[in-house]
Amino acid sequence: DTFIADGSTINTGLIVPRISALGGPLGQEQDVRFKVNLNTKAPGNAADDGSPIPLDEIAFIGLKGAAEELGAWAGDWTAADTTAGNMLGMHDDGAFGDATAGDNIWTRIVTFADTTARGVVEYKYGAEYTSNPLSSAPLDNCGGFGINYSVDVQPTSGIIELDDEWLTAAGPVGIERLDEFMPSDYELSQNYPNPFNPTTVIRYSIPEAAHVRVTVHNLIGEIVATLVDGEQSASFYEVSFDASKLSSGLYFYTIQAGKFVSTKKMMLMK
């Protein structure tokens, strides 16, 4: 946002920086498969309070982020960013790691250089579509202000798999599949940090393919957020949750995977 000095006072509310320490270089090239599923819930334009994005109008989905491989947040959130190297185009045509053409699951495999620093990389998607009402930064329409996805890029023997849903204003920051080891049992871990403000990470493991549903409930049992709702293969996963639109208090998060059900508490303190 841009503010012009006019003598007025503007209260921006509490701003909590998201700071992550970076490590040494990866030491090897590391592939990450970015994938965003537009079928799990109706995508909305986060920049104009959630107006619907018609799937049949989408020309392409862009990918932009903090790492050099993702454009280092440069550019103006326009289609021209892709030609300038400030944004990568996602695929729904069966290429560049996309499994099935035309299924509204947009994918792109990105190779991080061996000199890239290990650690958390924030990123975001953007949708180019016919009836987009935004004239300024038209592709900055996934997630509200300061709400990004994140991935912990570390050297692994395989590809790092991401399974994201489109963000409107708040919700999960991203779902990451951790493939280095295979779990032997179902498990739901305690979120961290806890207490938290306003984001936290929930880890879980499933030893076999299952339909997984992870939900957040308030004290009277109402679902305030659905973080995961879909088929997942056996692996360790972590999902980030943004509670910036919720009030302080005690919440519960529950996983249902096949016959496995588990619930834990977490505390939001603003």
Side-chain angles (χ1 to χ4, degrees):
D1 293 335
T2 300
F3 299 95
I4 300 175
D6 60 2
S8 62
T9 300
I10 299 174
N11 182 8
T12 63
L14 178 65
I15 297 176
V16 180
R18 301 176 68 185
I19 301 173
S20 301
L22 295 177
L26 287 170
Q28 65 175 52
E29 291 187 341
Q30 180 61 52
D31 287 340
V32 177
R33 190 194 316 267
F34 293 85
K35 182 168 65 176
V36 59
N37 190 338
L38 300 183
N39 298 307
T40 54
K41 57 185 177 182
N45 191 326
D48 73 343
D49 231 5
S51 67
I53 299 176
L55 294 179
D56 59 357
E57 290 189 9
I58 294 176
F60 72 89
I61 300 294
L63 169 65
K64 187 192 289 279
E68 289 292 335
E69 291 85 351
L70 304 179
W73 293 127
D76 303 311
W77 289 98
T78 64
D81 286 355
T82 57
T83 58
N86 299 324
M87 176 183 283
L88 301 178
M90 304 285 284
H91 289 266
D92 189 20
D93 55 3
F96 287 89
D98 183 59
T100 305
D103 63 353
N104 289 317
I105 300 175
W106 294 74
T107 311
R108 176 77 180 241
I109 293 179
V110 178
T111 300
F112 287 79
D114 58 354
T115 55
T116 300
R118 308 181 187 197
V120 174
V121 175
E122 294 197 13
Y123 63 97
K124 211 165 192 176
Y125 302 106
E128 172 79 3
Y129 62 103
T130 306
S131 59
N132 190 341
L134 304 178
S135 58
S136 175
L139 270 67
D140 190 8
N141 51 17
C142 179
F145 172 73
I147 299 175
N148 300 325
Y149 302 84
S150 62
V151 55
D152 187 9
V153 180
Q154 300 288 344
T156 68
S157 57
I159 191 169
I160 298 174
E161 300 277 0
L162 303 176
D163 293 286
D164 296 323
E165 295 180 353
W166 187 265
L167 299 178
T168 50
V173 180
I175 303 169
E176 181 179 350
R177 176 179 171 181
L178 310 172
D179 266 342
E180 190 170 358
F181 304 101
M182 295 301 292
S184 59
D185 204 354
Y186 291 97
E187 184 178 1
L188 177 65
S189 300
Q190 185 64 50
N191 66 300
Y192 67 94
N194 187 45
F196 68 99
N197 177 29
T199 60
T200 190
V201 174
I202 297 168
R203 284 194 170 190
Y204 60 93
S205 62
I206 55 173
E208 58 187 359
H211 184 97
V212 178
R213 181 172 169 85
V214 179
T215 52
V216 179
H217 306 253
N218 59 21
L219 280 171
I220 61 174
E222 296 174 327
I223 295 178
V224 297
T226 299
L227 308 185
V228 182
D229 190 4
E231 296 293 326
Q232 291 185 327
S233 56
S235 191
F236 294 91
Y237 292 86
E238 66 176 33
V239 56
S240 298
F241 173 56
D242 186 292
S244 55
K245 287 199 168 184
L246 299 177
S247 58
S248 297
L250 182 66
Y251 292 88
F252 301 87
Y253 59 98
T254 298
I255 183 173
Q256 296 174 287
K259 296 182 179 180
F260 174 74
V261 179
S262 181
T263 299
K264 291 186 180 295
K265 300 177 184 178
M266 60 182 174
M267 178 66 71
L268 172 62
M269 296 181 64
K270 293 187 174 180

